[in-house]
Amino acid sequence: MKMNKPSWLSNMTHGVFWSAIALCISAWSPVAISHENHQHEKPHSEKAPDQYSESGLEQLLDKVMALQYLTSSETDISGLRKAVEEYTPETDKDAVRRQYGLARVQQHQHDFKAASQTLEDALNQAPRDAGLLLLKASVLNNLGRYSAATEACKKLLGLTNAAVVTACVVDTRAQQDPEGIQTYYGDLLQMVERTQGQNSTHQIWISQILAELALSMGQPVKAQQHIQNLTLSAAPLSAIALWADIQFAQDNDQQVLNSLVTLTEDHVFIDDALLLRLAMAEKFTDSGSQWLKAMQQRIAQRTAAHNYAHAAELAKFYLYVEPNPEKANYWAEVNYRHAKSQMDADLLAAAKTLAADK
């Protein structure tokens, strides 16, 4: 029997891309690495962990940036982090770039406190680096430190264009004050319209924020319009997950299943966020249990490895795909010990509600 879709979809999305301020863009000053938010080619398979130490800074940073895209195999994140940590920069500029890369890996592992400290050290050396400030705001959002995140956003004034500053502030305030999302959405939309033509470098990221806010307001058609030019095969994982959630909200479940199957068919490893949505689409369309079993296997692997960076996805699985109050609450609590954004708080509340209704 085809599953009746629950009413959680509009609550699942905000924060789906880890407060994507810095994970999906790099508004680099001359101090930092030049890597813009463009439609990205599929990265090659990662090197074996013991070869990371042979890589130069450029190669290491390229691998760090590739973490947000589809990869053919699961990256050895710990090995990559160790290589970045141990890299000896030759110049002050390279030292700052190394710290930025390290902070991104730390954020990817949900080691937000470490990422915050790494960025603090980097900003002591390069206080006007826009990329560092954007990532700092994102990490502070992950920690639920919204006032400090807003201050980081305000320091962007004069360093990047007004739409980027507004997007940074809006993303933070929308998490801090979910009741005001409609106002924040309108503020960002007006700014984007006023700065039309100036935002090409950051267009994908800003469009994602607008789409995420529109979906949070229960307007999936409007959300879809904001990302209608997105090329899934070249998009960040966060954007693909957001696209899937927008399609779910419009009951385009078969389209999600077909598109994600095609998108991931040549990849040995499928990211947890996409594997979760494949399982969801499969259940919504009553299409068997292939992806359900794959997600169950992934959860077993994460559990055995004590890998808590994906705890949010595991909690969502036990909330929305294979309801299990105890396991949903367990993983939501594990996630909240590491991440305290509004999305993480909402996830924990949903898990506790499921447990209370048991």
Side-chain angles (χ1 to χ4, degrees):
M1 180 182 295
K2 182 175 178 178
M3 176 185 178
N4 290 324
K5 199 173 302 179
S7 59
W8 46 264
L9 280 169
S10 62
N11 297 322
M12 185 173 173
T13 311
H14 195 71
V16 71
F17 36 101
W18 310 328
S19 302
I21 281 183
L23 291 178
C24 294
I25 78 165
S26 297
W28 291 105
S29 69
V31 173
I33 182 176
S34 176
H35 191 295
E36 308 295 356
N37 182 28
H38 50 267
Q39 297 282 328
H40 202 281
E41 296 297 324
K42 292 180 181 178
H44 299 294
S45 298
E46 300 295 337
K47 288 184 178 180
D50 61 355
Q51 295 179 330
Y52 281 134
S53 59
E54 302 172 9
S55 299
L57 183 60
E58 298 298 332
Q59 292 172 300
L60 290 172
L61 293 177
D62 280 347
K63 293 183 183 301
V64 171
M65 298 301 293
L67 292 175
Q68 63 183 310
Y69 295 98
L70 283 167
T71 55
S72 296
S73 61
E74 184 173 16
T75 305
D76 175 37
I77 306 297
S78 296
L80 179 57
R81 175 172 173 170
K82 186 172 185 289
V84 176
E85 287 174 335
E86 294 180 350
Y87 180 83
T88 302
E90 297 180 358
T91 66
D92 290 343
K93 177 180 177 180
D94 282 351
V96 172
R97 297 169 70 220
R98 184 196 71 83
Q99 287 171 303
Y100 177 90
L102 176 58
R104 287 186 69 134
V105 177
Q106 290 168 331
Q107 187 187 39
H108 190 81
Q109 292 183 307
H110 282 206
D111 193 354
F112 301 124
K113 290 183 179 178
S116 180
Q117 185 58 58
T118 298
L119 289 165
E120 198 65 38
D121 294 342
L123 284 164
N124 286 336
Q125 296 177 264
R128 291 179 57 78
D129 186 288
L132 292 174
L133 288 168
L134 280 165
L135 185 54
K136 180 71 171 177
S138 177
V139 169
L140 290 169
N141 282 335
N142 293 141
L143 291 168
R145 296 175 56 192
Y146 301 120
S147 295
T150 300
E151 289 305 309
C153 293
K154 290 179 179 178
K155 290 179 181 179
L156 289 165
L157 288 167
L159 302 180
T160 187
N161 75 53
V164 172
V165 179
T166 302
C168 182
V169 172
V170 162
D171 185 71
T172 297
R173 288 183 174 168
Q175 295 187 67
Q176 185 177 22
D177 175 27
E179 298 300 319
I181 283 180
Q182 187 167 352
T183 298
Y184 304 134
Y185 170 82
D187 291 343
L188 180 56
L189 191 59
Q190 288 180 14
M191 180 58 72
V192 168
E193 291 171 349
R194 285 204 298 269
T195 58
Q196 198 70 34
Q198 301 177 28
N199 306 317
S200 58
T201 300
H202 312 292
Q203 192 58 58
I204 297 174
W205 168 63
I206 293 173
S207 295
Q208 276 186 257
I209 293 179
L210 286 168
E212 185 183 14
L213 294 176
L215 185 57
S216 296
M217 293 187 296
Q219 300 180 34
V221 174
K222 185 174 290 186
Q224 177 67 35
Q225 292 171 352
H226 287 303
I227 61 168
Q228 61 185 348
N229 295 323
L230 189 71
T231 302
L232 289 181
S233 61
L237 290 165
S238 58
I240 301 171
L242 175 61
W243 171 85
D245 292 344
I246 291 170
Q247 301 311 313
F248 284 144
Q250 298 177 86
D251 293 324
N252 296 329
D253 308 325
Q254 191 64 52
Q255 182 180 353
V256 174
L257 185 60
N258 295 344
S259 296
L260 293 189
V261 167
T262 300
L263 192 64
T264 60
E265 62 184 352
D266 294 329
H267 294 272
V268 176
F269 177 79
I270 302 175
D271 182 84
D272 289 30
L274 299 192
L275 191 56
L276 170 68
R277 285 160 177 81
L278 278 163
M280 288 164 56
E282 180 181 66
K283 189 160 189 176
F284 293 159
T285 57
D286 192 22
S287 300
S289 60
Q290 174 186 355
W291 300 110
L292 172 68
K293 292 177 180 177
M295 190 65 192
Q296 290 170 333
Q297 183 178 13
R298 179 66 53 79
I299 290 172
Q301 293 169 347
R302 297 300 187 205
T303 303
H306 301 286
N307 186 337
Y308 302 131
H310 304 273
E313 304 304 328
L314 307 192
K316 291 171 188 173
F317 176 79
Y318 287 120
L319 274 169
Y320 312 133
V321 180
E322 192 176 75
N324 184 310
E326 291 182 3
K327 291 183 179 180
N329 192 64
Y330 171 77
W331 286 112
E333 286 185 341
V334 168
N335 178 66
Y336 197 70
R337 286 202 293 270
H338 298 272
K340 291 181 170 56
S341 72
Q342 185 60 48
M343 181 273 292
D344 300 303
D346 290 345
L347 184 63
L348 181 58
K352 290 190 177 301
T353 297
L354 181 66
D357 292 341
K358 182 180 177 181

